[in-house]
Amino acid sequence: MAVKILTAIAFMLSTAVQAGDISVITNPSSEFEKINIPDLRRLYLGRATESVPNDLHPVDLPEGSPIRNSFYKKVIRRSPEQMQRYWARAFFMGTANPPRTVYDEKEMKQVVSHDPAVGYISSGKVDESVKELVVE
């Protein structure tokens, strides 16, 4: 029963990220094609994951950005306030560093297109400079 519920939740989240107004992106030369919700969540929480290449690093939009707030609500399932507390604690304990933060979606595409990185932007802003990942 619990497996069915978790599967349904994962499907709803992946549908929200893919079909919604947010696209998860990476470098167009990356061989990385898809990512599942739990791995994406771990990546953005600074936790290691075996199925994501070690050289991929997460990139964030600025705090207060509606796209960032939506991404964290749908994918990470934490509010901006919860994330501030999480990163303050992780930084203090030396367990993880927060994702690099860029100024806007234009800079997000520039960084992701040149670095081994994962980011997110409005779906309507995806172009040939980045590769949209399939979120499972």
Side-chain angles (χ1 to χ4, degrees):
M1 180 68 164
V3 172
K4 287 182 181 180
I5 293 171
L6 290 175
T7 302
I9 291 171
F11 175 75
M12 289 186 309
L13 288 172
S14 67
T15 303
V17 172
Q18 282 183 321
D21 39 346
I22 301 172
S23 292
V24 177
I25 58 171
T26 192
N27 187 298
S29 64
S30 172
E31 294 180 14
F32 200 54
E33 300 287 334
K34 59 186 174 181
I35 189 167
N36 63 45
I37 294 287
D39 284 340
L40 187 58
R41 186 175 298 123
R42 282 191 289 274
L43 183 68
Y44 270 86
L45 291 173
R47 299 177 183 158
T49 175
E50 293 179 12
S51 58
V52 176
N54 288 338
D55 62 340
L56 280 181
H57 60 273
V59 182
D60 253 339
L61 289 172
E63 287 185 25
S65 160
I67 298 295
R68 177 178 171 153
N69 292 345
S70 182
F71 175 79
Y72 274 88
K73 180 180 176 184
K74 291 176 182 177
V75 177
I76 311 304
R77 297 193 314 233
R78 295 189 183 191
S79 70
E81 295 79 18
Q82 289 172 315
M83 288 308 301
Q84 286 176 341
R85 288 191 302 272
Y86 175 84
W87 285 118
R89 184 173 46 251
F91 183 76
F92 177 75
M93 296 177 69
T95 57
N97 290 316
R100 174 182 175 183
T101 301
V102 295
Y103 180 71
D104 57 15
E105 291 176 284
K106 181 179 178 182
E107 186 181 1
M108 174 73 80
K109 289 193 311 186
Q110 290 173 340
V111 168
V112 169
S113 70
H114 293 98
D115 294 343
V118 172
Y120 53 89
I121 58 174
S122 303
S123 293
K125 296 191 177 179
V126 174
D127 59 26
E128 67 281 346
S129 69
V130 295
K131 180 195 307 185
E132 184 174 8
L133 290 174
V134 174
V135 179
E136 301 179 314

